Amino acid sequence: MAKIHVANEVAKGYLETTVSLEELQNIKRYAPKALQVFEEKEEVFRVMPGTKGSISAAGICFAEETADKKAKVVFEMPEAGMKAEDINAYIMDKYNEAILNLRKVETQIAAATETVAAMKKDIADNIKIG
């Protein structure tokens, strides 16, 4: 499940997902719909790996990784030294929809990862050389 970290003294935070950038690239290549949320056949949210991180109600682009190789996106807080309740209120107001949709995508990624691994194994098992 997505985690939010805030460094209050420097007015920055980051949203961390459960997978690496490499895993996101793999899912993007082999099962891209797992990175999307649809409502009535219309795409309303998308997660993707990229070179510049961003987060909005329409999607998240992960461009960095944590020390343990989880994809993350960095965001700015309005000011340093905020009270905990103000931090929580700000994050809920600004990123609530994106976080809820990211949780849906993380569930889809877990299922797609298994499917992609099985597909790759099946293809590899059927490659004959020589």
Side-chain angles (χ1 to χ4, degrees), residues 29-41:
R29 181 173 180 190
Y30 294 105
K33 286 195 187 264
L35 299 177
Q36 300 167 289
V37 174
F38 292 88
E39 288 180 7
E40 298 180 19
K41 298 183 182 182

Side-chain angles (χ1 to χ4, degrees), residues 69-128:
K69 299 289 185 194
K70 302 298 180 196
K72 73 176 184 178
V73 59
V74 176
F75 58 86
E76 301 284 329
M77 296 294 293
E79 61 185 82
M82 294 173 67
K83 295 179 185 174
E85 60 268 14
D86 294 335
I87 291 171
N88 289 340
Y90 175 79
I91 290 172
M92 288 294 292
D93 181 56
K94 185 139 175 114
Y95 301 119
N96 184 50
E97 190 172 350
I99 293 166
L100 292 175
N101 279 321
L102 176 59
R103 288 183 176 167
K104 292 175 188 175
V105 169
E106 287 176 330
T107 301
Q108 294 169 182
I109 288 172
T113 299
E114 290 179 21
T115 302
V116 168
M119 176 196 65
K120 285 181 165 184
K121 182 183 180 326
D122 182 52
I123 292 169
D125 289 348
N126 288 293
I127 296 173
K128 304 295 181 215

